Amino acid sequence: SCSSLPKSTGRCIEGTPSILNKFTLPLAYLRLGVDVFWLDFDVFLFRDPTVSVLAAAEAKQTDLLVGGSFADDCICSGLVFYRSTDKTSHWLSA
């Protein structure tokens, strides 16, 4: 648990389970300069998507990729790629 880590590590984010963690945890990593690819726990991967995700972000010249629903015309926040930029960090914290 976080309480057992030395306070100087800076890796402990204390709090309670919440849907907001889906956005606050990626924000913490973005502010550390780490790109984030968020996957919900109910997403099953057949292969490593890293190369495809990074290629899509590069081809589209974007810092944010959001999955879509195949059944409806809407986004699906179960798959989200955040590139660690000031713009992305600011947008997510707004």
Side-chain angles (χ1 to χ4, degrees):
S1 82
C2 275
S3 59
S4 66
L5 292 173
K7 296 295 181 188
S8 63
T9 65
R11 296 187 180 122
C12 183
I13 302 172
E14 295 187 29
T16 56
S18 165
I19 189 64
L20 293 177
N21 293 342
K22 189 173 191 170
F23 306 102
T24 55
L25 290 174
L27 180 58
Y29 281 103
L30 292 174
R31 289 185 173 171
L32 291 171
V34 177
D35 292 344
V36 176
F37 185 40
W38 179 273
L39 299 170
D40 280 354
F41 284 111
D42 61 351
V43 173
F44 182 81
L45 300 174
F46 290 98
R47 63 178 175 202
D48 182 355
T50 304
V51 172
S52 298
V53 169
L54 294 176
E58 197 63 37
K60 296 177 185 298
Q61 297 183 353
T62 189
D63 297 330
L64 178 70
L65 293 172
V66 181
S69 173
F70 64 88
D72 295 310
D73 187 20
C74 63
I75 64 170
C76 172
S77 63
L79 297 149
V80 183
F81 171 74
Y82 305 93
R83 189 180 306 280
S84 179
T85 63
D86 289 338
K87 184 170 56 173
T88 305
S89 189
H90 178 74
W91 174 82
L92 195 54
S93 65

